[in-house]
């Protein structure tokens, strides 16, 4: 029996691969986890498109129980994941637990935000560490700021993924993220977050409704990015082709 | 009329997305470029699988002529690309030229080497700049070495993509790459390339024949990685989960 981890890309109904779709059809039970990324289709739409019942797994069920692994021991089981299945670290732990239990795992990769963000025209080779920006606790966490600083110091672009945590303060918007970044600059004073630079604001990457805007932070704050997921790129040193590509979104 | 840039992922026959396959079928003419990555299927196999004639484009035809754009003005045209279509910078220039000529472009993303390398268990968030390792000219280029050093200094992993240039010295193997890296250490003396550290050697990522090995460079040099494409990861600081995941390949 096999546990399939199947990447859905950005749009669950059409970005799934031919191989992924075959495995969904082959699996006796199909689960989905939706807490790492907002979905571009409803579960009902996916069920009718794939011809399968799809059960939603909470974060707790995925991380703390052996539900999936127990089931995969008895029958082919699939877990659907938005984007690429290994971009979230949880799933490597799931795979290792499954392997220890004697369950074969097969990962069916798909495009992740790292691929979709290339629509900006920025070069994949010139991104540094990707940074998750969490909602601030009373103590501002310094690490995201330090990571941006380290990337910038060596001329690299920083992709900032904005918090999609549902339980706490909800999905972080682009204006909120910009506020947090300027608060960090005020606090840690590394000269990293500058009003006069242009950043890239993105929403709905990978979907027909994607929005990409290249402007100063103050201007990005006043634009309507419509639907999540949201991200921001703080560019490092730009190649002239990258600059030309970005200016299409100015 | 639309110019579709369609990512094939690692295995052209099965990793193509449902959306990508639809666009291949809709296109009146279908091209493929194969010079950035070795192919996991022949063009004849793809033709019989997709039910379309597929014409091969040389690098020169793609970069220097307006062949594709001219054709896309008259009829829906598709360009198939191994992995993700925007990972190679050439294609952004193609898109910008097409847009200037009034041709609509649609990019259909797919998993790139950035996604497939996550099978190692290393975390996507902890990779620094990706580095291409070219065949050495008489003057050793310093930049790949400097990039590894910069990533390592801030604890990040470096994904090294080995040269697949066909015209010159052929595809770079893992033993050859390791030799070049030690030559660089001898020359630039940054203390980055160390015999006593363990690296990750990978081949055929994304295919059923993938090989992942975690060992000292000297040992990696003597293992048989079979078929290209090859890559090496020089790990930065490892989280204990990453270390546990890598040890499955020791």
């Amino acid at each position: 029996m096999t546990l399939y981890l199947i990447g859905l890309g950005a749009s669950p109904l059409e970005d799934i691969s031919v191989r992924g779709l075959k495995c969904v059809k082959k699996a006796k039970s199909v689960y989905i986890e939706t807490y790492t990324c907002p979905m571009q289709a409803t579960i009902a739409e996916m069920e009718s498109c794939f011809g399968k019942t799809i059960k939603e797994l909470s974060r707790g069920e995925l991380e703390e129980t052996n539900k999936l692994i127990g089931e995969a021991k008895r029958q082919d089981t699939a877990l659907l994941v938005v984007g690429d299945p290994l971009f979230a670290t949880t799933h490597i732990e799931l795979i290792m637990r499954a392997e220890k239990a004697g369950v074969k795992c097969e990962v069916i990769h798909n495009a992740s935000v790292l691929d979709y963000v290339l629509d900006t025209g920025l070069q994949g080779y010139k991104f540094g560490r990707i940074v998750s920006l969490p909602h601030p606790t009373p103590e501002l966490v310094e690490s995201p700021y330090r990571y941006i600083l380290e990337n910038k110091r060596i001329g690299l672009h920083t992709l900032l993924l904005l918090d999609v945590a549902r339980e706490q303060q909800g999905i972080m918007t682009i204006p909120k993220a910009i506020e947090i970044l300027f608060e960090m600059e005020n606090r840690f004073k590394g000269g990293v977050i500058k009003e006069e630079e242009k950043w890239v604001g993105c929403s709905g990457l990978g979907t027909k409704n994607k929005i990409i805007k290249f402007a100063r932070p103050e201007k990005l704050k006043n634009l309507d990015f419509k639907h999540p997921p949201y991200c921001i790129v703080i560019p490092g040193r730009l190649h002239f082709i990258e600059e030309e590509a970005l200016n299409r979104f100015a």
Side-chain angles (χ1 to χ4, degrees), chain A:
Chain A
M1 299 302 127
T2 303
L3 175 59
Y4 296 101
L5 278 81
I6 303 176
L8 296 175
S11 302
L13 306 180
E14 287 209 287
D15 287 339
I16 192 167
S17 65
V18 169
R19 184 198 305 267
L21 194 55
K22 266 188 206 164
C23 295
V24 172
K25 291 190 188 294
K26 195 157 67 179
K28 293 282 178 244
S29 58
V30 182
Y31 291 90
I32 190 164
E33 62 95 328
T34 59
Y35 64 86
T36 48
C37 188
M39 294 274 289
Q40 304 292 334
T42 65
I43 290 182
E45 285 168 329
M46 294 175 65
E47 287 182 325
S48 99
C49 184
F50 298 159
K52 283 274 173 178
T53 302
I54 301 173
K55 288 160 270 183
E56 200 168 355
L57 269 186
S58 70
R59 185 163 199 158
E61 284 179 298
L62 186 58
E63 289 179 358
E64 285 148 35
T65 80
N66 282 317
K67 185 178 168 66
L68 266 183
I69 295 169
E71 195 145 343
K73 271 190 185 170
R74 298 191 306 275
Q75 56 189 24
D76 286 340
T77 301
L79 174 64
L80 306 178
V81 185
V82 175
D84 181 87
L86 294 188
F87 195 76
T89 56
T90 311
H91 300 135
I92 268 290
E93 294 189 80
L94 175 67
I95 290 173
M96 290 196 288
R97 286 209 317 269
E99 286 174 351
K100 277 178 197 156
V103 171
K104 206 185 124 202
C105 285
E106 196 175 319
V107 175
I108 293 147
H109 288 283
N110 210 322
S112 64
V113 62
L114 303 181
D115 301 298
Y116 293 114
V117 79
L118 301 178
D119 282 341
T120 56
L122 292 166
Q123 295 174 12
Y125 283 66
K126 294 184 59 197
F127 279 82
R129 180 183 195 135
I130 297 163
V131 177
S132 276
L133 194 65
H135 282 291
T137 50
E139 290 289 297
L140 259 190
V141 186
E142 191 184 347
S143 55
Y145 182 85
R146 198 178 67 242
Y147 298 152
I148 301 167
L149 185 147
E150 287 169 343
N151 284 339
K152 225 172 175 185
R153 198 175 268 160
I154 52 180
L156 300 181
H157 313 317
T158 305
L159 170 58
L160 283 157
L161 303 178
L162 311 194
D163 203 338
V164 293
R166 292 183 174 178
E167 301 82 2
Q168 306 132 34
Q169 296 105 310
I171 288 173
M172 188 190 292
T173 61
I174 289 181
K176 179 71 189 159
I178 292 173
E179 260 173 46
I180 295 172
L181 290 164
F182 277 96
E183 256 176 70
M184 286 178 158
E185 181 58 47
N186 259 336
R187 177 88 166 268
F188 306 118
K189 298 189 191 305
V192 180
I193 303 300
K194 296 177 180 170
E195 275 170 30
E196 68 276 20
E197 284 186 352
K198 281 174 152 186
W199 296 354
V200 193
C202 309
S203 68
L205 285 178
T207 73
K208 284 203 178 0
N209 305 315
K210 73 164 181 258
I211 297 173
I212 299 175
K213 294 286 177 192
F214 179 50
R216 293 192 178 182
E218 196 51 43
K219 187 164 171 204
L220 289 180
K221 266 170 84 172
N222 294 311
L223 295 173
D224 181 6
F225 281 94
K226 305 239 165 82
H227 309 294
Y230 305 115
C231 64
I232 292 174
V233 183
I234 301 185
R237 274 190 295 278
L238 290 171
H239 184 272
F240 74 93
I241 296 287
E242 292 182 304
E243 192 145 16
E244 194 185 331
L246 281 179
N247 279 327
R248 295 176 303 155
F249 305 112

